[in-house]
Amino acid sequence: MLSWLPHNVSTFGGSVDSTISLIYYIVGAWFLAAEGLLVFFALRYRRKRGRSAFYKRGETARQAAWILIPAAVVLCLDLGIDASGASTWHLVKETLPANAVQVQVTAERFAWKFTYPGPDGKFGTPDDVTLINELHVPAGRPVELILRSKDVIHSLFIPNFRFRQDVVPGRTIDAWFESRTPGTYELGCSELCGDAHFDMRGTVMVQDSKDYAAWLHKTWPSAAAGSGKVSAQANKG
Ligand SMILES: [Cu+2]
């Protein structure tokens, strides 16, 4: 049923999936009921010799109830979905875990630039490193993304993390995720931003502590007297 969703590998993905499945089952049940009734009525009241069509104006309370009661039920289910999704929204969009690895993300037509602060832990210094369409993150640590756009609205989408965040020119937006499952996952732009929109495709590499330390060591060799030092300092927060 929901098996077409990409395999979830983020800590909050399960909550997002439960909201998706709640909507899926509620909307699915209404879809079957509405289409079933449509077909039933089309057959039951089809044109027959000797029977003419009639029009009900819905003026009596009893007739209006056929509209108002289903509308009230739909409204209640909608509010139920809102209430159930609120805690997920709070977790994903309104909290920022401490001890997160920080990465600046700059979106521009047509690439993602991921900037790391380097061993000094500060952005805007000579040891910053920027990768294009390639994001390296440690497994089991929250990652804070500081998102900006140089031109138009983009949207960073990482399906396996259930992560999606619009990137809006003139604004700096913080977002986060955490994955405990090492692997290589696809990222993309999910906001049509121009004729080479499809070029904004890249990879997220979730690396276990050994591989991540090796990547830090390779990226900042001069600071790697102990890769532990690099990782401790890249570890902001
Ligand atoms: Cu884009």
Side-chain angles (χ1 to χ4, degrees):
M1 287 160 284
L2 288 170
S3 54
W4 45 266
L5 285 178
H7 177 54
N8 164 50
V9 293
S10 79
T11 51
F12 56 57
S15 314
V16 176
D17 284 358
S18 52
T19 304
I20 292 176
S21 56
L22 181 68
I23 295 171
Y24 176 88
Y25 287 114
I26 290 177
V27 173
W30 277 98
F31 173 78
L32 292 178
E35 297 305 304
L37 274 176
L38 181 70
V39 171
F40 172 73
F41 287 149
L43 294 173
R44 174 86 171 74
Y45 298 107
R46 68 187 180 278
R47 193 166 79 101
K48 277 189 184 147
R49 202 180 286 278
R51 185 169 78 186
S52 61
F54 57 90
Y55 179 62
K56 286 199 172 167
R57 301 173 67 90
E59 281 167 341
T60 67
R62 198 177 149 77
Q63 287 173 357
W66 282 96
I67 302 294
L68 297 177
I69 290 174
V73 173
V74 168
L75 180 66
C76 288
L77 289 169
D78 191 25
L79 293 174
I81 290 170
D82 287 350
S84 138
S87 57
T88 305
W89 181 265
H90 176 72
L91 171 71
V92 177
K93 299 289 187 188
E94 294 173 344
T95 54
L96 202 56
N99 191 34
V101 174
Q102 287 185 313
V103 183
Q104 281 185 348
V105 182
T106 309
E108 64 174 273
R109 302 196 303 164
F110 294 97
W112 295 103
K113 291 183 175 165
F114 297 104
T115 301
Y116 292 81
D120 67 357
K122 290 192 187 98
F123 289 106
T125 51
D127 68 345
D128 289 9
V129 165
T130 296
L131 305 177
I132 310 243
N133 294 340
E134 191 182 314
L135 177 61
H136 289 256
V137 298
R141 281 262 311 270
V143 177
E144 178 187 351
L145 300 178
I146 304 156
L147 300 128
R148 294 189 188 91
S149 170
K150 271 195 176 171
D151 37 42
V152 299
I153 299 177
H154 301 271
S155 187
L156 183 61
F157 184 32
I158 312 172
N160 290 93
F161 296 176
R162 308 294 188 264
F163 176 99
R164 175 183 263 153
Q165 176 60 57
D166 279 6
V167 192
V168 182
R171 286 183 61 186
T172 299
I173 297 171
D174 277 330
W176 74 279
F177 63 79
E178 178 180 342
S179 175
R180 296 179 185 146
T181 315
T184 300
Y185 308 100
E186 186 179 31
L187 67 81
C189 179
S190 60
E191 186 78 48
L192 187 58
C193 55
D195 55 7
H197 165 67
F198 59 89
D199 275 345
M200 297 189 70
R201 188 178 178 198
T203 48
V204 190
M205 271 159 258
V206 179
Q207 297 174 306
D208 61 25
S209 52
K210 198 168 127 264
D211 286 351
Y212 188 67
W215 175 74
L216 290 174
H217 185 95
K218 198 179 98 199
T219 311
W220 290 278
S222 60
S227 58
K229 186 179 170 230
V230 180
S231 98
Q233 292 193 352
N235 165 5
K236 295 240 318 167

